């Protein structure tokens, strides 16, 4: 085992005799026995004895004390640590006394940081210098008058607590500046163990927060993380023989050997895990500090308000608030605003609602995480801890809602990162995705990569969230981004290994076979476009053929192009450039043209034959001239139901909370203008989220066209509305006695404004004429929001076009819709008219 050469040790005269303190120190550092905390404690005790002997021999007068501060005060001396000491005195002091103390230490070669002050001077310096005050918080008596040390400690702690509202923001700013200079310890190949974010300086800051009595940090794993970082620092000092804090690449193998870990990668993974624990604890502690300081200053108090959470239907928030459904009254200073079923916003964090039942709701961790990220809020530590303790694992395959919530979480972009870190801090990510353990905290020894493997995957999803408008399946893009490097860390080609893993994982997540195949293709070929574009002749037909053979279809090619860019951008600035983008785009265009020629363009949706139930409703609507509707259960999970609600039409809720809880609404109405927007508005008033929808035209008895609308809906919050009330409101909206647009506008105006995550602007485009021979296809890709389909429908109605067929789907937080439009005579729109309609829809979406 490699050890550093013995350095001169402390001795009362600077000598290095075998019986002196220096020899004892050298033996301690070279001993094969326990290292870690025991050695640091023993080294501190040995130094105490030495300095106490110096103090006694220096002839110090009464009311004088020698005090250890900083790391030495905490008893955490590393082999090359400085000695931070304070000579404390009252009254006059012989000027020669400090020299009699300090010179032997200097002669020994030990670095010394010293000061001579009265208690009043020490407090004054601490009041002016935050770093000095932090050092004094760890003051410990070494020699002399213990009462003098005790009095100083009490006074310094009292000063710190009194000044905490002013000093803690200053301390946080220091931490931010350090993070900017030194980066994040959990991602650097050569990290600074002390100064980087998540390092030993942050551990000291957490102790200072706790000493303020204003807040505290999560304790789970924090002490073990701090000990691990300190152990690595000790080994670094011993291996290099220097007081360095940077874990250089050339030293990592020797440090790993000294600590008994398999290799340098295992060493870094341990360091990264510890740093993440410290970093997460810091985030939680500083949020607590901010809440306390805001409350003390009055900024955290909000007036009591009544929020009109419901529309025509009552009780939409009853599950979360236990109210009457006529609006939630917030009493006192705490507001609880709903975010999703079982999740509310409180004090700037996403927390569990009072009625949430983690033990019977295995999707709740993903739903809470998605709601927090989409609202741009952190997920509270208490919530994460409770979810980890009480939630059962997801069933296999996952229920549809779990996939939707994962995609919604990833689609939040940058806001996903702190929420993902919170889930990882309590092991929830590995519980959801067991294969994640392969890549968690795994370093990438490549100068191009700036992140660990797992963080690179999340960063790729963040980048992909800005590209969801480019593809027809944003859900597959985001999931592929999260999983594309899952094969790293094992033998062989990581793309091939990842394909095998992703096939099994995607099936476990409940994706259909076609989606599983697409995800496998994306993972297997996530490097194909950039490698082919930069290494092969783009004009060679074999080059294009290699790409088309790999992807097989235009939609997959679009997904692969977006994944390629997201992967490169998440790797680092050297991985993507305008030159590479141009090469990839050229190759993609050639491959798309080849695929379009082979398959006749993008395939359109295939209309299934109407079911018996659909034909029955269409006949009823044609004969009566009014709406006919039916309700039934769907396979999409939604909110819990109650007797008398839409649950009457469903099979009920399974005991594990994963049974059929969505509702399928079939509505047949004689053709009339504005039908789509009107019905969508009624559903929005009832807080029903549209997961999918379809519109088609039938003429069952030859009396004129009947529009058949098929909807799959879930409740945004709380319970689903009563079926009878929904029927009544649909009929009122269709006969004009319910002004849907006005009611929605009134509700939106009265609702509290909540920040959300930035999202890409909506894309409204007219598909090429080949998309349909009998209609103009308008494609809309946008971030899902309450009333989105209502706004689109109103815009189409205002443009004076007929919606002959519509295909609406919500994938995570993204709406991907296609509307087949004709003019009043049933003909496709000309190019100018189609452009005007697209502009009208674009304006309506803002």
């Amino acid at each position: 085992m490699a050890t550093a050469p013995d350095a001169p040790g402390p001795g009362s005269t600077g000598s290095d005799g075998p019986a002196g303190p220096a020899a004892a120190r050298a033996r301690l550092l070279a001993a094969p026995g326990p290292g870690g905390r025991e050695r640091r404690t023993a080294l501190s005790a040995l130094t105490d004895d030495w300095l106490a002997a110096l103090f006694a021999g220096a002839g110090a007068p009464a009311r004088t004390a020698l005090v250890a501060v900083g790391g030495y005060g905490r008893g955490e001396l590393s082999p090359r640590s400085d000695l931070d000491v304070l000579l404390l005195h009252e009254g006059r002091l012989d000027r020669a006394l400090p020299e009699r103390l300090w010179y032997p230490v200097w002669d020994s070669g030990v670095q010394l940081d010293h000061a001579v002050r009265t208690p009043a001077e020490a407090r004054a310096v601490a009041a002016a210098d935050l770093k000095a005050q932090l050092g004094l918080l760890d003051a410990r008596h070494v020699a002399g008058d213990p009462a003098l040390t005790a009095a100083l400690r009490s006074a310094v702690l009292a000063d710190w607590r009194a000044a905490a509202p002013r000093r803690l923001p200053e301390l946080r700013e220091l931490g931010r500046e350090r993070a900017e200079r030194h980066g994040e310890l959990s991602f650097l190949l050569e990290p600074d163990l002390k100064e980087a974010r998540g390092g030993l300086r942050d551990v000291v800051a957490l102790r200072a927060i706790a000493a303020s009595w204003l807040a505290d940090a999560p304790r789970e794993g924090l002490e073990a993380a701090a000990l691990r970082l300190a152990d690595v620092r000790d080994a670094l000092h011993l291996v290099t023989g220097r007081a360095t804090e940077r874990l250089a690449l050339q030293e990592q193998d020797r440090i790993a050997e000294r600590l008994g870990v398999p290799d340098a990668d295992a060493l870094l993974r341990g360091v990264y895990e510890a740093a993440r624990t410290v970093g997460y604890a810091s985030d939680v502690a500083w949020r607590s500090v901010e809440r306390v300081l805001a409350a003390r200053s009055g900024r955290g108090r909000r007036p009591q308000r009544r929020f009109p959470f419901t529309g025509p239907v009552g009780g939409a928030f009853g599950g979360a608030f236990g109210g009457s459904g006529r609006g939630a009254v917030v009493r006192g200073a705490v507001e609880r605003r709903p975010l999703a079923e079982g999740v509310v916003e409180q004090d700037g964090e996403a927390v569990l609602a009072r009625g949430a039942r983690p033990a019977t709701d295995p999707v709740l961790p993903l739903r809470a995480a998605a709601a927090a990220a989409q609202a741009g809020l952190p997920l509270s530590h208490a919530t994460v801890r409770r979810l980890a303790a009480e939630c059962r694992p997801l069933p296999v395959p996952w229920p549809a809602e779990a996939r939707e919530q994962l995609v919604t979480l990833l689609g939040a972009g940058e806001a996903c990162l702190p929420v993902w870190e919170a889930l990882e801090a309590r092991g929830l990510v590995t519980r959801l995705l067991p294969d994640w353990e392969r890549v968690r905290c795994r370093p990438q020894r490549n100068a191009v990569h700036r992140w660990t493997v797992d963080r690179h995957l999340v960063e790729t999803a963040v980048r992909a969230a800005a590209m969801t408008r480019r593809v027809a399946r944003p859900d597959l893009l985001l999931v592929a981004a999260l999983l594309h490097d899952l094969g790293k860390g094992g033998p062989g080609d990581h793309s091939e290994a990842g394909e095998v893993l992703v096939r099994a994982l995607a099936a476990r997540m409940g994706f259909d076979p076609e989606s599983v195949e697409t995800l496998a293709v994306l993972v297997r070929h996530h490097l194909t476009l950039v490698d082919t574009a930069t290494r092969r002749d783009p004009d060679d037909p074999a080059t294009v053929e290699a790409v088309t053979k790999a992807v097989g279809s235009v939609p997959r090619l679009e997904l692969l192009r977006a994944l390629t860019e997201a992967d490169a951008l998440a790797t680092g600035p050297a991985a993507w450039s305008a030159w590479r983008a141009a090469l990839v785009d050229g190759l993609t265009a050639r491959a798309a043209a080849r695929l379009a020629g082979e398959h006749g363009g993008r395939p359109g949706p295939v209309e299934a034959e109407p079911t018996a139930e659909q034909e029955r409703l269409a006949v009823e609507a044609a004969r009566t001239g009014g709406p006919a509707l039916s309700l039934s259960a769907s396979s999409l999970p939604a909110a819990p139901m109650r007797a008398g609600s839409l649950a009457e039409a469903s099979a009920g809720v399974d005991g594990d909370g994963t049974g059929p809880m969505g509702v399928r609404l079939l509505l047949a109405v004689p053709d009339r203008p504005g039908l789509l927007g009107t019905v969508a508005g009624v559903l929005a008033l009832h807080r029903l989220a549209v997961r999918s929808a379809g519109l088609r035209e039938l003429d069952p008895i030859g009396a004129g066209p009947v529009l058949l609308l098929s909807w799959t809906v879930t409740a945004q919050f709380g319970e689903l509305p009563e079926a009878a009330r929904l029927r009544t409101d649909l009929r009122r909206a269709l006969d004009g006695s319910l002004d849907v647009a006005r009611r929605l506008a009134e509700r939106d105006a009265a609702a509290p404004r909540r920040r959300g995550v930035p999202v890409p602007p909506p894309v409204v485009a007219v598909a090429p004429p080949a998309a349909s021979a009998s209609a103009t296809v308008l494609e809309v890709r946008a971030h899902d929001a309450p009333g989105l389909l209502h706004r689109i429908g109103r815009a189409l109605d205002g443009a004076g076009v007929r919606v002959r067929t519509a295909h609406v789907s919500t994938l995570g937080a993204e709406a991907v819709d296609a509307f087949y439009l004709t003019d009043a005579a049933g003909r496709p729109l000309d190019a100018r008219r189609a452009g005007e309609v697209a502009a009208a829809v674009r304006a309506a979406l803002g």
Side-chain angles (χ1 to χ4, degrees):
M1 183 176 297
T3 59
D6 292 340
S12 58
T13 64
S15 63
D16 199 21
R25 179 178 182 275
R27 288 194 300 270
L28 176 63
L29 296 181
R37 171 185 280 173
E38 292 85 352
R39 182 170 54 203
R40 290 187 291 275
T41 301
L43 186 57
S44 298
L46 186 65
T47 305
D48 286 353
D49 293 342
W50 173 45
L51 294 182
L54 290 176
F55 184 85
R63 301 299 293 165
T64 307
L66 193 62
V67 182
V69 298
Y72 178 33
R74 295 188 298 272
E76 297 177 354
L77 273 184
S78 287
R80 299 290 168 177
S81 289
D82 295 350
L83 295 184
D84 296 330
V85 294
L86 168 66
L87 181 58
L88 195 63
H89 68 96
E90 287 185 345
R92 296 178 61 84
L93 188 70
D94 181 3
R95 291 184 179 180
L97 176 61
E99 295 181 356
R100 292 195 292 271
L101 288 172
W102 309 148
Y103 270 105
V105 179
W106 289 328
D107 290 344
S108 73
V110 174
Q111 296 296 314
L112 178 67
D113 188 354
H114 61 89
V116 181
R117 296 188 179 108
T118 66
E121 290 170 342
R123 294 174 65 187
V125 170
D129 185 342
L130 178 58
K131 293 182 180 179
Q133 189 166 37
L134 293 177
L136 285 174
L137 290 178
D138 295 311
R140 179 174 58 82
H141 183 70
V142 174
D145 187 346
L148 195 60
T149 304
L152 177 65
R153 274 185 53 83
S154 297
V156 167
L157 283 169
D159 292 344
W160 173 246
R161 288 163 187 156
R166 174 176 58 85
R167 302 312 294 268
L168 284 176
E170 184 183 349
L171 178 59
R172 184 168 198 187
E173 187 57 33
L174 284 177
R176 287 172 173 158
E177 291 173 358
R178 280 191 292 102
E180 289 178 2
R181 288 195 307 271
H182 299 281
E184 292 199 53
L185 177 52
S186 54
F187 304 122
L188 297 170
L189 278 177
E190 292 188 310
D192 188 305
L193 298 169
K194 190 173 184 180
E195 303 292 345
R197 181 181 180 272
L200 293 167
R201 287 280 192 206
D202 282 342
V203 176
V204 174
L206 290 175
R207 292 192 180 104
I209 293 173
S212 73
W213 288 358
L214 292 183
D216 202 357
R219 293 294 173 178
E220 299 93 343
L222 183 57
E223 182 178 1
L227 289 175
R228 177 175 290 182
L229 293 177
D231 289 349
V232 175
R233 183 194 187 203
D234 285 1
L236 176 63
H237 284 188
L238 290 171
V239 164
T240 62
R242 295 180 290 108
T244 180
E245 312 297 339
R246 184 167 298 281
L247 192 58
L249 288 172
Q250 65 268 22
E251 313 293 354
Q252 290 174 9
D253 285 320
R254 289 197 295 159
I255 293 169
E257 180 185 358
R258 186 174 189 94
L259 292 173
V261 297
D263 53 31
D265 277 4
L267 170 71
L268 280 181
R269 290 189 80 171
V271 169
Y272 293 162
E273 288 172 351
R276 290 189 188 183
T277 299
V278 174
Y280 175 68
S282 298
D283 290 342
V284 173
W286 284 119
R287 287 203 304 269
S288 298
V289 168
E290 287 182 348
R291 286 197 300 272
V292 171
L293 296 184
R296 286 191 173 192
S297 67
R299 290 181 287 114
R301 298 181 180 180
R302 303 181 180 94
Q304 175 177 314
R305 294 178 60 187
R306 182 183 293 273
F307 299 113
F309 290 135
T310 60
V313 60
F317 283 56
F321 290 89
S324 65
R326 301 174 62 87
V329 177
V330 182
R331 296 178 174 85
V334 177
E335 293 179 0
R336 295 172 66 84
R337 301 179 182 179
L339 298 174
E341 174 61 22
V343 189
V344 298
E345 175 186 352
Q346 178 180 315
D347 287 335
E349 294 182 322
V351 304
L352 294 185
R354 296 187 182 98
R357 296 177 296 172
T360 59
D361 189 355
V363 182
L364 187 55
L366 281 172
R367 190 186 312 123
Q374 286 292 329
L377 298 170
L379 194 57
S380 84
H381 173 65
T383 291
V384 177
R385 185 170 53 192
R386 184 180 172 195
L387 290 173
E390 298 183 25
C391 276
R392 291 182 296 169
L394 282 169
V396 176
W398 288 11
E401 189 200 0
R403 294 193 305 278
E404 292 287 320
Q405 297 296 351
L406 175 62
V407 170
T408 302
L409 168 62
L410 299 175
E414 291 283 348
C416 167
L417 291 173
V419 176
W420 190 272
E421 289 174 352
L423 295 179
E424 277 209 306
R426 298 298 296 161
L428 284 167
V429 171
T430 305
R431 186 186 301 183
L432 291 167
L433 306 170
D435 292 317
W436 194 257
E437 185 62 29
R438 297 170 54 95
V439 296
R440 188 177 62 85
C441 292
R442 180 172 292 280
Q444 303 203 78
R445 296 185 179 276
N446 185 318
V448 175
H449 278 278
R450 59 185 300 191
W451 306 109
T452 54
V453 178
D454 60 336
R455 180 57 177 263
H456 167 72
L457 292 174
V458 182
E459 290 282 345
T460 304
V462 168
R463 297 288 187 168
M467 304 175 188
T468 51
R469 304 293 181 270
R470 304 184 189 178
V471 298
R473 288 294 302 272
D475 57 332
L476 298 185
L477 172 62
L478 293 168
V479 173
L482 182 70
L483 304 178
H484 73 276
D485 275 346
L486 202 60
K488 285 189 173 179
D493 186 326
H494 78 277
S495 298
E496 295 177 0
E499 178 188 3
V500 175
L501 292 170
V502 167
R503 284 186 186 277
L505 180 54
R508 191 161 70 242
M509 295 168 74
F511 282 102
D512 62 84
E514 177 64 23
S515 297
V516 171
E517 183 63 27
T518 296
L519 288 170
V521 167
L522 293 175
V523 171
R524 174 66 182 86
H525 294 287
H526 70 271
L527 297 175
T528 294
L529 279 182
V530 70
D531 284 351
T532 305
T534 56
R535 300 176 184 177
R536 301 273 294 274
D537 179 3
D539 295 322
D540 186 344
T543 301
V544 176
E545 184 180 358
V547 174
T548 58
K549 184 178 179 181
V551 297
S553 69
V554 172
R556 283 184 184 168
L557 180 63
E558 292 175 345
L559 286 166
L560 187 60
R561 169 61 181 84
L563 176 60
T564 298
E565 183 175 348
D567 182 19
L569 291 173
T571 297
W576 193 246
S577 64
W579 171 74
R580 287 196 173 197
L583 291 177
V584 169
D585 284 340
L587 177 59
T588 302
R590 289 179 174 87
R594 171 77 65 85
L595 289 168
E598 291 175 354
H599 302 289
R602 184 193 305 271
V606 178
E607 288 284 2
E609 290 296 318
T611 65
E613 178 69 3
Q614 290 173 334
E615 289 184 337
R616 182 188 68 79
L617 290 173
V619 169
E620 180 183 344
R623 286 176 176 171
T624 63
L629 65 88
S630 70
L631 302 167
S632 62
S634 80
S635 60
L636 259 176
M641 302 179 181
R642 63 183 180 189
S645 74
L646 292 180
E648 295 171 344
S650 76
V653 181
D654 290 349
D656 64 356
T658 61
M661 299 191 295
V663 169
R664 185 73 172 269
L665 166 66
L666 288 176
L667 176 66
V669 185
D671 193 9
R672 65 180 70 183
L675 182 62
L676 178 64
T678 299
V679 177
V682 172
L683 298 179
L685 279 176
H686 283 263
R687 303 280 182 182
L688 292 173
V690 178
R691 306 310 301 172
S692 65
L695 182 152
R696 64 188 301 180
E697 211 174 67
L698 298 176
D699 190 357
I701 60 175
V706 171
L707 292 183
L708 183 71
L709 297 95
S710 175
W711 309 78
T712 302
V713 298
T714 62
Q716 286 180 282
F717 320 103
E719 300 167 342
L720 287 160
E722 295 178 357
R725 185 65 180 272
L726 180 59
R727 287 188 179 96
T728 299
D729 286 338
L730 283 170
R731 291 191 173 97
R732 290 176 59 212
L734 292 171
D735 67 23
S737 60
L738 174 62
D739 189 337
V740 175
R742 181 178 63 83
R743 293 294 295 271
L744 283 173
E746 290 174 350
R747 189 182 71 184
D748 291 345
R753 299 300 176 192
R754 180 187 294 118
R755 64 179 177 175
V757 297
V759 297
V763 171
V764 182
V766 180
S772 173
S774 57
T776 297
V777 181
L778 186 71
E779 296 181 339
V780 179
R781 298 174 183 176
H783 190 75
D784 190 33
L788 175 69
L789 192 54
H790 170 68
R791 296 197 298 276
I792 295 173
R794 289 194 69 196
L796 294 175
D797 183 39
V801 296
R802 295 181 62 236
V803 181
R804 198 193 71 191
T805 307
H807 299 273
V808 174
S809 58
T810 305
L811 304 171
E814 300 299 315
V816 180
D817 306 338
F819 302 91
Y820 287 67
L821 310 177
T822 66
D823 59 17
R827 298 184 300 255
L829 309 180
D830 60 45
R832 180 189 62 81
R833 187 81 178 94
E836 292 173 350
V837 173
V841 173
R842 202 175 293 117
L845 297 182

